[in-house]
Amino acid sequence: MTTTHPGSTRTPLREWATGVTVFAAIMLMIGGILDIMRGIAEIADDDIFVATRNYVFEFNLTAWGWIHLALGALAFIVSFGLFMASTWARVLGVGIAGLVIISNFLSLPYYPVWSIVMITISGFIIWALCAMRKDDAFVPFESPTSR
C-alpha cells in the first residue's frame, strides 16, 4: 500500500506572506549594498559631503563611513537568511533596518536626500518583516507532512 504525502498548501495568504518576505530580503540586500557604497564614499573622500557646523550629533565623516559600512555589510548578510524565511533573519533584519534609520537620521545634515531615501527603504523593510506571521510563511525546504 502506498502512502501519499500532500505538499504544502499554497493559499493566497501564504503566497502573499512569501512575496512580502522576498520583497524585504531584496530591499534589505539593496539597502545593504547602497549603505556599503555610502560608507566607502565617506571613508575614501570626505569632500563630496557637506560639512555642517554646530550639529548636535557631530562626528567625523570617516566615523560615519565605518558605521554605514558595517551596517550595510550586516544587512547584506542577513538578507540571505531572509530568503530562507529564517526567524533569526527576520529579527536581525528589523534590528538592522532600525539601526540604519537611526544612523541615517543622525547623518541627515551631511547627505539629506540620500538619508531620506535610506530611511524610507528601511521603513518598508521593517513593515514587510513585521507584516506576516511565521505560520503563514512558506519555508522553501520544508518537508511534506505525513498523515
Side-chain angles (χ1 to χ4, degrees), residues 14-126:
R14 180 170 282 218
E15 289 178 3
W16 180 84
T18 302
V20 169
T21 303
V22 171
F23 168 77
I26 291 171
M27 291 301 288
L28 191 64
M29 183 180 286
I30 290 171
I33 290 170
L34 294 175
D35 229 12
I36 289 171
M37 300 294 240
R38 179 178 178 173
I40 291 171
E42 288 174 338
I43 292 168
D45 189 14
D46 292 35
D47 296 336
I48 62 172
F49 295 95
V50 177
T52 58
R53 295 185 202 188
N54 301 325
Y55 182 53
V56 175
F57 306 109
E58 186 175 343
F59 286 118
N60 185 354
L61 281 177
T62 305
W64 279 120
W66 285 109
I67 291 169
H68 287 290
L69 184 66
L71 287 175
L74 284 173
F76 185 76
I77 292 168
V78 168
S79 68
F80 289 106
L82 287 175
F83 285 117
M84 303 296 284
S86 301
T87 303
W88 65 266
R90 287 179 59 203
V91 171
L92 285 177
V94 170
I96 290 170
L99 290 173
V100 168
I101 287 175
I102 292 169
S103 69
N104 279 291
F105 177 75
L106 295 177
S107 65
L108 195 63
Y110 300 110
Y111 210 38
V113 175
W114 190 249
S115 293
I116 292 172
V117 168
M118 289 301 293
I119 289 169
T120 306
I121 289 173
S122 297
F124 279 128
I125 292 168
I126 291 172

